[in-house]
Amino acid sequence: MPADARKPLISGNWKMHLNHFEALQTVQKLHYALTKADFDAVDVTVHPPFTDLRTVQTAIDSDHMSIALGAQHCHWEEKGAFTGEVAPVMLAKLQVRYVIAGHSERRQLFGETDEMVNRKVRAILAAGMTPIMCVGETLEEREAGATEEKVVAQVRAGLAGLAREAIGTLVIAYEPIWAIGTGRTATPEDALAVCGLVRAEVGQIARAEAASIRVQYGGSVKATNIAELMAAPDIDGALVGGASLDSDEFARIVQFRLQAR
Ligand code: PGA
């Protein structure tokens, strides 16, 4: 599959922001700011906090929005004594389509390991949803020349034991940790190099699937830098944090192709 056959995916990770009233307003404003042509060109997801999901789902449903609902996290078990956790099947029931797995904040602040991320990826797929699996290096790792080693190891561990066909449906987000929320974006060249590496590593595991997997870049993506990132052939979209909270800014990010003209 050539790069231009992969439909770009732009995802808004709202993190721990916006209560359900604010979430409703934000998704409605986003819906009004985008056109059918935008949705024909780009898949768009929003990932609100758990408490907002039902509200946003109802809005998407009743207004026939083309925005896909996403979650930020889940557990890997179907049910059980796991206080505070949410099961993939519960999300699927709410028409959640995409779930972020292994965001660096979950890995760094909440102790998620590669093995846990792998279990989640498998559970998300088993529940019929698409994982957005995050990988990326710290500043120390980048400066020590260990970016490749870290990212390759995360991709390998995250995909362990997956069926080939499942691998082709995945989304992997390359998010250099030093670029997240810092205003410091990777250069398109650096982002492209690592996104290419991610795809090459997927190719080692499942050759044919490497062409269909979507690889996003994440880390201080804004309306002013999205077009140059998206011009890179191996970057199929973006995972956007801070800039996705402002629906006008996020809409301009989704409409990157209009700037590129
Ligand atoms: P940022 O976050 O866009 O605020 O840098 C990206 C992310 O953490 O997914």
Side-chain angles (χ1 to χ4, degrees):
M1 189 186 281
D4 57 7
R6 293 188 295 268
K7 191 171 179 188
L9 174 67
I10 308 270
S11 302
N13 174 12
W14 293 356
K15 307 191 179 181
M16 200 169 73
H17 295 284
L18 308 182
N19 63 41
H20 69 288
F21 294 113
E22 295 160 338
L24 179 60
Q25 279 184 341
T26 305
V27 76
Q28 279 171 337
K29 280 177 68 187
L30 180 64
H31 168 64
Y32 290 122
L34 296 174
T35 65
K36 181 172 182 305
D38 295 329
F39 290 113
D40 286 345
V42 178
D43 286 337
V44 181
T45 71
V46 292
H47 300 251
F50 286 139
T51 50
D52 302 352
L53 285 176
R54 176 67 171 151
T55 305
V56 175
Q57 179 234 332
T58 307
I60 287 176
D61 222 29
S62 56
D63 288 352
H64 308 291
M65 297 182 188
S66 301
I67 297 164
L69 187 57
Q72 301 173 15
H73 160 69
C74 66
H75 197 266
W76 53 84
E77 295 289 347
E78 270 184 40
K79 58 182 168 194
F82 301 104
T83 302
E85 291 294 326
V86 168
V89 286
M90 297 172 179
L91 298 176
K93 240 335 188 224
L94 277 175
Q95 288 160 30
V96 167
R97 310 268 184 237
Y98 293 80
V99 187
I100 299 171
H103 189 281
S104 60
E105 286 152 15
R106 301 275 341 154
R107 293 178 189 260
Q108 292 195 314
L109 305 174
F110 302 100
E112 283 188 11
T113 62
D114 282 343
E115 202 226 325
M116 290 158 84
V117 174
N118 175 249
R119 286 189 187 197
K120 288 210 252 185
V121 166
R122 287 198 263 174
I124 294 162
L125 286 165
M129 300 179 291
T130 301
I132 299 181
M133 185 181 87
C134 301
V135 298
E137 81 286 4
T138 62
L139 186 58
E140 297 71 46
E141 288 161 342
R142 171 154 288 258
E143 285 172 349
T147 300
E148 185 169 333
E149 192 188 321
K150 170 79 177 285
V151 169
V152 164
Q154 286 181 323
V155 170
R156 254 185 228 160
L159 303 189
L162 289 189
R164 281 172 171 262
E165 319 76 70
I167 291 178
T169 67
L170 278 187
V171 180
I172 298 182
Y174 166 56
E175 298 203 303
I177 295 168
W178 47 270
I180 295 178
T182 57
R184 222 179 125 183
T185 320
T187 62
E189 293 72 29
D190 284 347
L192 174 62
V194 185
C195 289
L197 182 75
V198 167
R199 193 179 309 284
E201 189 52 34
V202 173
Q204 296 289 321
I205 303 164
R207 184 165 301 278
E209 280 65 31
S212 51
I213 199 164
R214 289 189 286 187
V215 183
Q216 294 178 313
Y217 166 78
S220 298
V221 171
K222 312 184 259 293
T224 48
N225 59 24
I226 183 72
E228 55 176 9
L229 288 161
M230 290 304 295
D234 263 314
I235 301 180
D236 305 317
L239 183 53
V240 185
S244 72
L245 297 173
D246 176 339
S247 49
D248 292 331
E249 170 84 4
F250 190 56
R252 283 196 294 277
I253 294 174
V254 171
Q255 293 166 331
F256 69 90
R257 71 192 192 288
L258 304 179
Q259 300 175 32
R261 276 185 193 153

